[in-house]
Amino acid sequence: MKAIQYLIFALTALMLMASPTWADSRRDAQRVGAFAGAMKYCAEHDTGREGRYKLARYRAFKEVNEMSSRRKLDALAARNFAYDRGRYWGRRLDRNHCRQLLGASEWRRFFN
């Protein structure tokens, strides 16, 4: 009986230790997906920089494509949500915000 209790405790502890990693990876997937949706929205609403927005969106999509199926679903849902609402993490996408996102150091990895 004690062995079963130790086993259950060990499994529970292992699941709790692994959960922040899963949550972080899910948030990363949502962030990349939302960025791709924002770039699609910005390409349609900010004339003159469509090429840069499309390039950023394409590179974000390549990163999404390499994700596991669960993370990919999270990213695609975030992409659609950002595009449909015209919002990126709660902030309305206007011309200035689109350009800030495109130049943000967080996303420079897409332009290497």
Side-chain angles (χ1 to χ4, degrees), residues 30-41 73-93:
Q30 290 172 340
R31 183 173 288 284
V32 172
F35 179 75
M39 292 297 100
K40 183 177 180 183
Y41 181 89
L73 288 175
D74 290 336
L76 294 176
R79 180 198 66 189
N80 293 340
F81 189 79
Y83 174 71
D84 292 340
R85 301 284 167 98
R87 293 184 155 316
Y88 179 74
W89 291 107
R91 186 172 165 203
R92 184 86 182 134
L93 289 167

Side-chain angles (χ1 to χ4, degrees), residues 38-53:
M39 292 297 100
K40 183 177 180 183
Y41 181 89
C42 291
E44 294 177 1
H45 292 88
D46 184 12
T47 58
R49 294 186 183 223
E50 297 92 355
R52 290 192 68 200
Y53 292 126

Side-chain angles (χ1 to χ4, degrees), residues 54-67:
K54 287 180 183 179
L55 180 63
R57 185 173 148 227
Y58 173 72
R59 291 189 176 170
F61 187 73
K62 278 179 42 179
E63 189 170 322
V64 168
N65 226 14
E66 297 171 1
M67 293 179 183

